[in-house]
């Protein structure tokens, strides 16, 4: 079976699509006006991850509606922002443990309080800044893919990043609109993976890709649909200009 992955078009989809959850991590919100605000409005669930609420609150004019909840260990949410949202009746949910990051706590809240119904989760932030957080973000993408088959897309300043499953995927690339590309990468972070591709400038032909060996970075998208066949899940990242 071939999976058709909508790629960035998942972020511009029409009504009637599966419910969407949007998570704001504790970083300046990438593409706040152009992409984030309309997606936030459209989402079924809107979570601020701890200090993510500070960044939401800092946007003017304030995006509407208010968050569904603010979740985390609450070490980075400022008292005034907390007060502001509590005043508007927004739940502030604390998970105190220090063995999971606030990003994981946000996903846990989706499962425990919001029925885990969102088939697509769009995350803003988490792939720039602190390298330990960046690595963790990629790890969570892979773990969530394996454990729950949850589709998570991460929006950062320069990229859209998500997991492609084991097997064959056709990734839709919006080259014409100038949204996606030109550069992309296939990151073998779930372990060594045999890859076949079509539609890239430098295709792979059943080669073994690994973190310490062959890793396709600085590749270029040369078609509106990229075919990837992978022997295990792999991270796809593509330049993105919403
Ligand atoms: N500098 C950063 N670079 C990348 N991602 C970040 C950064 N700061 C925060 N994040 C993301 O936002 C989430 C919430 O931020 P928060 O500051 O509450 O982090 P945390 O999970 O409590 O970890 P820590 O206490 O080590 O900062 C993090 O779990 C992480 O995914
Ligand atoms: C081996 C190990 N390394 C680091 C941490 C620290 N840690 C991981 S997630 C987290 C919460 C951040 O809000 C903290 C403090 C740990 N517990 N175990």
């Amino acid at each position: 079976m071939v999976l058709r992955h909508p790629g960035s078009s998942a972020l511009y989809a029409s009504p009637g699509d599966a419910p969407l959850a949007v998570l704001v991590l504790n970083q300046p919100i990438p593409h706040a006006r152009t992409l984030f605000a309309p997606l936030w409005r459209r989402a079924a669930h809107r979570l601020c991850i701890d200090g993510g609420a500070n960044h939401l609150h800092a946007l003017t004019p304030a995006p509407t509606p208010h968050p569904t909840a603010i979740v985390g260990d609450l070490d980075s949410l400022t008292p005034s922002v907390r007060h502001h949202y509590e005043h508007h009746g927004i739940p502030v949910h604390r998970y105190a443990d220090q063995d999971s990051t606030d990003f994981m706590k946000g996903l846990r809240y989706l499962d425990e309080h919001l029925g885990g119904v969102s088939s697509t989760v769009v995350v803003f932030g988490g792939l720039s800044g602190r390298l330990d957080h960046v690595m963790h973000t990629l790890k969570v993408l892979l773990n969530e893919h394996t454990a729950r088959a949850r589709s998570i897309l991460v929006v950062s300043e320069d990229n859209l990043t998500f997991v492609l499953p084991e097997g064959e995927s056709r990734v839709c690339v919006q080259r014409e609109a100038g949204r996606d590309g030109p550069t992309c990468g296939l990151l073998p972070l779930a372990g060594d993976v045999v890859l076949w591709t079509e539609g890239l400038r430098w295709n792979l032909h059943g080669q073994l890709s690994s973190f310490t060996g062959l890793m396709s970075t600085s590749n270029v998208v040369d078609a509106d649909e990229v075919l990837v066949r992978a022997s295990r899940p792999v991270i796809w990242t593509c330049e993105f200009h919403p």
Side-chain angles (χ1 to χ4, degrees):
M1 199 186 72
V2 183
L3 174 94
R4 203 187 158 278
H5 197 296
S8 65
S9 57
L11 307 176
Y12 301 91
S14 42
D17 290 330
L20 196 80
V22 173
L23 267 60
V24 179
L25 300 187
N26 185 17
Q27 288 203 288
I29 302 173
H31 308 294
R33 292 274 150 243
T34 47
L35 179 70
F36 170 76
L39 212 55
W40 182 255
R41 217 172 297 125
R42 223 181 78 207
H45 305 303
R46 306 169 187 87
L47 293 187
C48 288
I49 308 305
D50 205 338
N54 305 334
H55 293 282
L56 184 82
H57 187 255
L59 293 180
T60 44
T64 50
H66 282 315
T68 310
I70 299 170
V71 182
D73 61 5
L74 307 184
D75 64 350
S76 50
L77 177 64
T78 64
S80 62
V81 170
R82 179 175 184 160
H83 178 264
H84 169 82
Y85 286 115
E86 281 184 334
H87 178 74
H88 284 91
I90 308 307
V92 176
H93 190 93
R94 179 164 185 252
Y95 291 112
D97 79 84
Q98 293 298 298
D99 292 325
S100 67
T101 62
D102 286 341
F103 180 23
M104 291 162 78
K105 290 176 173 100
L107 295 170
R108 180 174 161 199
Y109 187 88
L110 272 184
D111 287 337
E112 292 180 354
H113 295 265
L114 302 172
V117 290
S118 318
S119 55
T120 301
V121 178
V122 184
V123 176
F124 283 80
L127 286 181
S128 64
R130 268 175 49 189
L131 185 59
D132 59 338
H133 271 318
V134 168
M135 294 305 290
H136 174 76
T137 302
L138 296 170
K139 170 198 154 63
V140 169
L141 289 192
L142 288 163
N143 287 356
E144 286 289 313
H145 170 78
T146 307
R148 254 171 287 248
R150 181 144 59 187
S151 170
I152 304 183
L153 299 109
V154 182
V155 176
S156 51
E157 209 48 63
D158 295 315
N159 286 86
L160 182 66
T161 303
F162 48 85
V163 172
L164 293 178
E166 176 184 336
E168 198 165 316
S169 306
R170 288 186 177 278
V171 185
C172 171
V173 182
Q174 300 191 73
R175 287 191 310 157
E176 288 306 303
R179 276 198 187 124
D180 297 327
T183 67
C184 66
L186 280 163
L187 312 179
L189 301 185
D192 298 0
V193 52
V194 182
L195 290 172
W196 292 260
T197 65
E198 289 173 23
L200 300 180
R201 179 83 45 91
W202 290 274
N203 283 304
L204 292 117
H205 308 281
Q207 286 131 293
L208 184 69
S209 175
S210 70
F211 190 62
T212 51
L214 172 68
M215 181 158 76
S216 180
T217 56
S218 299
N219 212 325
V220 172
V221 173
D222 265 345
D224 296 336
E225 198 173 69
V226 172
L227 181 131
V228 177
R229 187 142 47 94
S231 61
R232 61 161 49 141
V234 63
I235 303 256
W236 164 266
T237 185
C238 190
E239 241 182 298
F240 180 49
H241 312 281

